[in-house]
Amino acid sequence: MDKKVLIDKIKKLKEEKNAVIMAHYYVDGEVQAVADYVGDSYYLSKLATKVEQQTILFCGVSFMGESAKILNPEKTVVMADELADCPMAHMVEIKKIEEIREKYKDAAVVCYVNSTAEIKAHSDVCVTSSNALRVVKALPNKQIFFIPDNNLGRYVAKQLPEKEFIFHDGFCHVHKSIGKEKVLKAKELHKDALVLTHPECTEDVLEISDFIGSTSEIIDYATESDCQEFIICTETGVLYELKQKNPDKKFYPVSPSQCCPDMKRITLERLAEALEYMEPEKELPEEIRSQAYTPLARMLELAAQ
Ligand code: 13P
Ligand code: SF4
């Protein structure tokens, strides 16, 4: 179908179905362009508690739609693509949490939102990349079991020497693939560029970066900066908003592997189909949903302080 016709169809269906389209910065630019709201994980989870429409059409990976459903059980959450899932969300098991709780009785289980609803249900508090530092700092516990992302956990730990961290070994394959060598090569090619990096990258990449932040923090930093060139160490979907906001600045990804195959499953065609048939709907067993609500709500409360 012609793109223009498809976009018109999406707009019409959205009105008919009383739906709001939310998208993460990692989906394709053309999908971001038809969304009502685009943002990072923290922004989208906050927003999910505020929208008026009965249906949320989510353009992102599974855990993002799950968070929207956990926070809004009375709303219909439809995923643009059923199979878009974050591999890191499955990198920790409940058994591991139980083992750590048994060994470290006072430890808080801090769960990166990139995790399944079941894992959230067994955690004390959730965090996203933009609020992790604030939320962990606000916890009364000295010991922190940070799951599943090892890199984000270490990044936060470095800034909170008063806490004792127990790390897990989860990782994002997309951010892990952005190696130090590739960043150094990009710096060599673009000597005046600042390096802007997501904290899911490995420690050696973080060490040679000028700024570390979530997707929306990277976009804000580049937009407010006087610098004209930036090396971008996160998924390439952010380039769309970076260029929208800064048409005269230059942005350089470091490698073709900076692309999340799960986020890129979401296309305009799939979005139109999901809206038309109102499926796949995100549903969760009520017991898991209500248990997962507490750590997510605690995150929103602590991050807002
Ligand atoms: P943000 O917290 O920046 O939205 O990141 C989400 C994510 O999946 C990073 O890979
Ligand atoms: Fe998961 Fe990485 Fe894709 Fe983000 S970029 S959704 S962490 S695989």
Side-chain angles (χ1 to χ4, degrees):
M1 197 188 286
D2 175 71
K3 279 269 151 70
K4 165 97 176 56
V5 177
L6 194 54
I7 291 166
D8 288 345
K9 183 177 172 182
I10 290 170
K11 287 183 179 159
K12 193 162 162 267
L13 281 166
K14 201 179 67 170
E15 296 308 318
E16 275 172 28
K17 311 274 181 176
N18 186 25
V20 60
I21 302 178
M22 291 189 195
H24 189 268
Y25 283 128
Y26 289 165
V27 299
D28 262 337
E30 60 184 23
V31 177
Q32 293 185 45
V34 296
D36 298 295
Y37 300 101
V38 187
D40 70 358
S41 306
Y42 179 43
Y43 171 78
L44 295 172
S45 61
K46 272 190 300 186
L47 188 72
T49 64
K50 297 194 178 107
V51 290
E52 281 164 14
Q53 289 87 341
Q54 171 53 30
T55 300
I56 297 173
L57 197 303
F58 215 107
C59 301
V61 287
S62 179
F63 76 82
M64 296 177 173
E66 272 183 1
S67 297
K69 185 69 186 174
I70 291 165
L71 291 164
N72 298 280
E74 73 293 348
K75 298 237 187 223
T76 307
V77 177
V78 177
M79 301 304 291
D81 185 284
E82 191 167 27
L83 299 178
D85 197 0
C86 170
M88 178 163 46
H90 303 274
M91 288 185 183
V92 61
E93 290 177 3
I94 292 165
K95 203 167 88 178
K96 182 73 195 176
I97 300 177
E98 288 169 350
E99 269 172 40
I100 296 290
R101 284 206 191 275
E102 187 56 36
K103 199 165 164 195
Y104 304 92
K105 300 268 187 239
D106 298 324
V109 177
V110 175
C111 173
Y112 189 26
V113 281
N114 296 39
S115 54
T116 62
E118 287 81 0
I119 291 299
K120 288 185 178 77
H122 282 78
S123 303
D124 296 310
V125 67
C126 292
V127 294
T128 74
S129 61
S130 55
N131 64 35
L133 185 61
R134 221 172 328 141
V135 171
V136 176
K137 198 173 179 182
L139 292 175
N141 315 60
K142 187 172 167 72
Q143 289 179 324
I144 305 293
F145 179 36
F146 196 99
I147 53 173
D149 190 20
N150 188 283
N151 291 319
L152 178 63
R154 288 183 188 278
Y155 169 68
V156 175
K158 246 189 165 172
Q159 296 168 83
L160 296 175
E162 69 276 22
K163 305 264 183 193
E164 276 171 26
F165 276 70
I166 304 136
F167 300 108
H168 190 60
D169 56 7
F171 62 91
C172 162
H173 68 102
V174 179
H175 288 85
K176 195 178 174 185
S177 76
I178 302 171
K180 181 181 175 182
E181 292 312 313
K182 291 179 200 158
V183 181
L184 289 175
K185 221 181 226 171
K187 273 165 81 89
E188 199 49 45
L189 281 172
H190 310 289
K191 292 200 165 38
D192 295 331
L194 292 178
V195 181
L196 314 187
T197 300
H198 195 281
E200 282 178 20
C201 286
T202 51
E203 199 172 0
D204 54 354
V205 171
L206 299 185
E207 277 166 3
I208 54 170
S209 298
D210 297 292
F211 176 76
I212 299 161
S214 76
T215 47
S216 58
E217 288 170 334
I218 286 175
I219 292 164
D220 290 348
Y221 185 91
T223 305
E224 282 156 28
S225 170
D226 291 334
C227 185
Q228 295 301 306
E229 294 181 62
F230 303 90
I231 293 164
I232 302 298
C233 300
T234 189
E235 214 274 353
T236 50
V238 296
L239 295 172
Y240 175 76
E241 185 69 9
L242 281 168
K243 287 175 188 160
Q244 288 285 115
K245 288 202 161 134
N246 306 280
D248 299 328
K249 293 184 180 177
K250 291 201 172 83
F251 301 99
Y252 313 109
V254 296
S255 140
S257 64
Q258 270 169 266
C259 195
C260 175
D262 281 276
M263 288 287 190
K264 295 317 190 238
R265 290 186 63 85
I266 296 148
T267 59
L268 288 177
E269 285 80 4
R270 287 211 162 104
L271 169 53
E273 218 175 291
L275 263 176
E276 188 162 7
Y277 300 105
M278 292 299 250
E279 58 178 26
E281 201 185 321
K282 183 55 85 187
E283 279 173 303
L284 289 166
E286 179 50 26
E287 198 188 343
I288 291 179
R289 190 212 62 81
S290 60
Q291 285 172 10
Y293 177 86
T294 310
L296 262 180
R298 195 171 178 206
M299 169 188 88
L300 294 177
E301 190 191 311
L302 292 177
Q305 282 175 8

